[in-house]
Coordinates of all heavy atoms in Angstrom, one line a residue:
Q242 N 102.7 87.5 95.1 CA 103.7 87.0 96.1 C 103.1 87.1 97.5 O 103.2 88.2 98.1 CB 105.0 87.7 96.0 CG 105.7 87.6 94.6 CD 106.9 88.5 94.6 OE1 107.9 88.3 95.4 NE2 107.0 89.4 93.6
L243 N 102.4 86.1 98.0 CA 101.7 86.2 99.3 C 102.6 86.5 100.4 O 102.1 87.1 101.5 CB 100.9 84.9 99.5 CG 99.8 84.6 98.5 CD1 99.0 83.4 98.9 CD2 98.9 85.8 98.2
A244 N 103.9 86.3 100.3 CA 104.8 86.6 101.4 C 104.9 88.1 101.6 O 105.3 88.6 102.7 CB 106.2 86.0 101.1
L245 N 104.5 88.9 100.6 CA 104.6 90.3 100.7 C 103.3 91.0 101.3 O 103.3 92.2 101.6 CB 104.8 91.0 99.3 CG 106.1 90.6 98.6 CD1 106.1 91.3 97.3 CD2 107.3 91.1 99.5
L246 N 102.3 90.2 101.6 CA 101.1 90.7 102.1 C 101.3 91.5 103.4 O 100.7 92.7 103.5 CB 100.0 89.6 102.4 CG 99.3 89.1 101.1 CD1 98.4 87.9 101.5 CD2 98.5 90.2 100.4
P247 N 102.0 91.0 104.4 CA 102.1 91.9 105.6 C 102.9 93.2 105.4 O 102.8 94.1 106.2 CB 102.9 90.9 106.6 CG 103.5 89.9 105.7 CD 102.6 89.7 104.5
R248 N 103.7 93.2 104.3 CA 104.4 94.5 104.0 C 103.6 95.5 103.2 O 103.8 96.7 103.3 CB 105.7 94.1 103.2 CG 106.7 93.3 103.9 CD 107.9 93.1 103.0 NE 109.0 92.3 103.7 CZ 110.0 92.8 104.4 NH1 110.0 94.1 104.6 NH2 110.9 92.1 105.0
L249 N 102.6 94.9 102.5 CA 101.8 95.8 101.6 C 100.5 96.2 102.2 O 100.0 97.3 101.8 CB 101.6 95.1 100.3 CG 102.8 95.3 99.2 CD1 102.5 94.4 98.0 CD2 102.9 96.7 98.8
A250 N 99.8 95.4 102.9 CA 98.4 95.6 103.2 C 98.0 95.4 104.6 O 98.6 94.6 105.4 CB 97.6 94.6 102.3
T251 N 96.9 96.1 105.0 CA 96.3 95.8 106.3 C 94.9 95.1 106.1 O 94.3 94.8 107.0 CB 96.1 97.1 107.1 OG1 95.4 98.0 106.2 CG2 97.4 97.8 107.4
R252 N 94.5 95.0 104.8 CA 93.3 94.4 104.5 C 93.5 93.5 103.2 O 94.1 93.9 102.3 CB 92.2 95.4 104.2 CG 90.8 94.9 103.8 CD 89.8 96.0 103.6 NE 88.6 95.6 103.1 CZ 87.6 96.4 102.6 NH1 87.8 97.8 102.7 NH2 86.5 96.0 102.1
V253 N 92.9 92.3 103.2 CA 93.1 91.4 102.1 C 91.7 91.1 101.5 O 90.8 90.7 102.2 CB 93.7 90.1 102.6 CG1 93.9 89.1 101.4 CG2 95.1 90.3 103.2
I254 N 91.6 91.3 100.2 CA 90.4 91.0 99.5 C 90.7 90.0 98.4 O 91.6 90.2 97.6 CB 89.8 92.3 98.8 CG1 89.4 93.3 99.8 CG2 88.6 91.9 97.9 CD1 88.9 94.6 99.2
G255 N 90.0 88.8 98.5 CA 90.2 87.7 97.6 C 89.1 87.7 96.5 O 88.0 87.7 96.9
L256 N 89.5 87.5 95.3 CA 88.6 87.4 94.2 C 88.7 86.0 93.6 O 89.8 85.4 93.5 CB 88.8 88.4 93.1 CG 88.2 89.8 93.5 CD1 89.3 90.6 94.1 CD2 87.8 90.6 92.2
R257 N 87.5 85.5 93.2 CA 87.5 84.2 92.5 C 86.3 84.2 91.5 O 85.2 84.5 91.9 CB 87.3 83.0 93.5 CG 87.2 81.6 93.0 CD 88.5 81.1 92.5 NE 88.4 79.7 92.0 CZ 88.6 78.6 92.7 NH1 88.9 78.7 93.9 NH2 88.4 77.4 92.1
G258 N 86.5 84.0 90.2 CA 85.5 84.0 89.3 C 84.8 85.4 89.2 O 83.6 85.4 88.9
G259 N 85.5 86.5 89.4 CA 84.9 87.8 89.4 C 84.1 88.2 90.6 O 83.6 89.3 90.6
A260 N 84.1 87.4 91.6 CA 83.4 87.7 92.9 C 84.3 87.9 94.0 O 85.4 87.2 94.1 CB 82.4 86.6 93.2
V261 N 84.0 88.7 95.0 CA 84.7 88.9 96.2 C 84.3 87.7 97.2 O 83.2 87.6 97.6 CB 84.5 90.2 96.9 CG1 85.1 90.3 98.3 CG2 85.0 91.4 96.0
V262 N 85.3 86.8 97.4 CA 85.0 85.7 98.3 C 85.8 85.7 99.6 O 85.6 84.8 100.4 CB 85.2 84.4 97.5 CG1 84.3 84.2 96.3 CG2 86.7 84.3 97.0
L263 N 86.6 86.7 99.7 CA 87.4 86.8 101.0 C 87.6 88.3 101.2 O 88.0 89.0 100.3 CB 88.8 86.1 100.8 CG 89.8 86.3 101.9 CD1 89.3 85.7 103.2 CD2 91.2 85.8 101.5
D264 N 87.3 88.8 102.4 CA 87.5 90.2 102.7 C 87.7 90.3 104.2 O 86.8 90.2 105.0 CB 86.3 91.0 102.3 CG 86.5 92.5 102.5 OD1 87.5 92.9 103.0 OD2 85.6 93.3 102.1
R265 N 89.0 90.5 104.6 CA 89.2 90.6 106.1 C 90.5 91.3 106.3 O 91.4 91.5 105.4 CB 89.3 89.2 106.7 CG 90.3 88.2 106.1 CD 90.4 86.9 106.9 NE 90.9 87.1 108.2 CZ 90.9 86.1 109.1 NH1 90.4 84.9 108.8 NH2 91.4 86.3 110.3
S266 N 90.8 91.7 107.5 CA 92.0 92.4 107.9 C 93.1 91.4 107.9 O 92.9 90.2 108.1 CB 91.9 93.0 109.3 OG 90.9 94.0 109.4
W267 N 94.3 91.9 107.5 CA 95.5 91.0 107.5 C 95.9 90.7 108.9 O 95.9 91.5 109.9 CB 96.7 91.7 106.8 CG 98.0 91.0 107.2 CD1 98.9 91.3 108.1 CD2 98.4 89.7 106.7 NE1 99.9 90.4 108.2 CE2 99.6 89.4 107.3 CE3 97.9 88.8 105.7 CZ2 100.3 88.2 107.1 CZ3 98.6 87.7 105.5 CH2 99.8 87.4 106.1
D268 N 96.2 89.4 109.1 CA 96.8 88.9 110.3 C 97.5 87.6 110.0 O 97.4 87.1 108.8 CB 95.8 88.7 111.5 CG 94.7 87.7 111.1 OD1 95.0 86.6 110.6 OD2 93.5 88.0 111.3
D269 N 98.3 87.1 110.9 CA 99.1 85.9 110.6 C 98.4 84.6 111.2 O 99.0 83.6 111.5 CB 100.5 86.0 111.1 CG 100.6 86.2 112.6 OD1 99.5 86.3 113.3 OD2 101.7 86.3 113.2
S270 N 97.1 84.7 111.3 CA 96.3 83.6 111.9 C 96.3 82.4 111.0 O 96.4 82.5 109.7 CB 94.9 84.0 112.3 OG 94.2 84.3 111.1
A271 N 96.1 81.2 111.5 CA 96.0 80.0 110.7 C 94.7 80.1 109.9 O 94.7 79.5 108.8 CB 95.9 78.8 111.7
S272 N 93.6 80.7 110.4 CA 92.4 80.7 109.6 C 92.6 81.5 108.3 O 92.1 81.1 107.2 CB 91.3 81.3 110.4 OG 91.5 82.7 110.7
L273 N 93.3 82.6 108.3 CA 93.5 83.4 107.1 C 94.4 82.6 106.2 O 94.2 82.6 105.0 CB 94.2 84.8 107.5 CG 94.5 85.6 106.2 CD1 93.3 85.9 105.4 CD2 95.2 87.0 106.7
Q274 N 95.4 82.0 106.7 CA 96.3 81.2 105.9 C 95.5 80.1 105.2 O 95.8 79.8 104.0 CB 97.5 80.6 106.7 CG 98.4 81.6 107.3 CD 99.0 82.6 106.3 OE1 99.4 82.2 105.2 NE2 99.0 83.9 106.7
R275 N 94.6 79.4 105.9 CA 93.8 78.4 105.2 C 92.9 79.0 104.2 O 92.7 78.4 103.1 CB 92.9 77.7 106.3 CG 93.7 76.8 107.2 CD 92.7 75.9 108.0 NE 91.8 76.6 108.8 CZ 92.0 77.0 110.1 NH1 93.2 76.6 110.6 NH2 91.2 77.6 110.8
A276 N 92.3 80.2 104.4 CA 91.5 80.8 103.4 C 92.2 81.2 102.2 O 91.8 81.0 101.1 CB 90.8 82.1 104.0
L277 N 93.5 81.7 102.4 CA 94.3 82.0 101.2 C 94.7 80.8 100.4 O 94.7 80.8 99.2 CB 95.6 82.8 101.7 CG 95.3 84.2 102.2 CD1 96.6 84.7 102.9 CD2 94.9 85.1 101.1

Side-chain angles (χ1 to χ4, degrees):
Q242 301 177 55
L243 299 186
L245 294 177
L246 283 177
R248 295 181 179 271
L249 276 172
T251 56
R252 178 180 174 189
V253 181
I254 295 176
L256 283 90
R257 179 77 181 262
V261 174
V262 296
L263 170 68
D264 186 355
R265 59 177 291 175
S266 299
W267 163 260
D268 57 52
D269 59 359
S270 66
S272 65
L273 177 57
Q274 297 305 318
R275 286 194 300 269
L277 289 170

